[in-house]
Amino acid sequence: MMIITICGGGSLGHVVAGWLSARNHAVVNVLTGQPEKWHHEIIVDTPDAQILKGRIAKISEKAKDVIPESDVILLCLPGYMISKQLETIKPFLKPSAFVGSVFSSTGFFFEALNILGNNQPLWGFQRVPFISRVEEYGKSAHLLGYKNSLNIPIENVSNNKKVEFAKMIQNWFERPVNI
């Protein structure tokens, strides 16, 4: 199973971590500045009255603890924090790891290309995949709404790898994905 590390502990980080782990789409790690506030079980309720119970494999404030094993990294951070986070994770990235952002329209690709170069696979959501809110920090959140489809740019890989990655994201988020 693929390993994803969620960087950031906001609403989207909570919901994506809970969604992916509860639905057995990926092993989920969390990189956060407040690891002591996170629980290994995360509960997410959905608009269709489902209660998802996810499991966070590793929780750390140190990139070296979670990034080296990650196949996918998803920055769930505001734009002004992206550069610092990319610098922090850079020494620990596998060359094949896909690094992305839930807010790619904040200049993520400019920052990522500048910091990580043009060999690291990059991706991002055009718009956030879910409408979400934290209920209890590190423990529970509300998934308030789904998107009908998701648009993602993917850079620094072949067209075949772009298609494979988009199919994986479509499976993970259970929505049609357009590259």
Side-chain angles (χ1 to χ4, degrees):
M1 187 173 291
M2 301 284 278
I3 298 172
I4 184 171
T5 294
I6 306 295
C7 299
S11 296
L12 281 164
H14 280 71
V15 170
V16 171
W19 173 271
L20 292 177
S21 61
R23 298 180 82 79
N24 294 313
H25 291 313
V27 173
V28 177
N29 295 333
V30 173
L31 180 62
T32 174
Q34 300 180 41
E36 71 283 354
K37 293 184 178 181
W38 278 78
H39 298 253
H40 283 279
E41 182 178 80
I42 187 161
I43 311 259
V44 175
D45 60 17
T46 70
D48 43 352
Q50 292 181 37
I51 304 296
L52 305 176
K53 292 182 181 179
R55 174 108 183 111
I56 309 302
K58 292 182 182 178
I59 303 161
S60 183
E61 65 183 342
K62 297 177 182 166
K64 71 178 182 175
D65 294 341
V66 291
I67 297 298
E69 65 189 33
S70 300
D71 302 299
V72 178
I73 292 95
L74 181 60
L75 279 61
C76 295
L77 301 165
Y80 72 91
M81 295 180 76
I82 288 173
S83 292
K84 183 178 179 186
Q85 188 70 79
L86 291 171
E87 293 284 357
T88 299
I89 68 173
K90 180 180 178 177
F92 307 104
L93 287 169
K94 293 191 294 193
S96 61
F98 280 78
V99 180
S101 176
V102 290
F103 301 111
S104 65
S105 61
T106 61
F108 166 75
F109 283 93
F110 296 111
E111 295 296 330
L113 286 167
N114 183 49
I115 294 166
L116 303 179
N118 59 6
N119 291 318
Q120 190 73 49
L122 303 173
W123 72 288
F125 288 104
Q126 180 186 25
R127 296 191 174 94
V128 296
F130 302 123
I131 307 302
S132 54
R133 294 290 176 266
V134 171
E135 170 72 20
E136 184 177 345
Y137 188 88
K139 190 174 181 181
S140 60
H142 305 287
L143 192 166
L144 300 172
Y146 304 99
K147 305 290 182 176
N148 291 331
S149 65
L150 304 170
N151 296 323
I152 61 170
I154 307 168
E155 295 292 333
N156 298 340
V157 294
S158 69
N159 285 337
N160 287 344
K161 287 196 184 270
K162 287 179 183 183
V163 170
E164 288 174 24
F165 186 78
K167 285 180 184 177
M168 183 188 73
I169 295 299
Q170 182 168 296
N171 179 53
W172 280 8
F173 289 87
E174 301 177 16
R175 297 288 178 267
V177 168
N178 304 304
I179 299 173

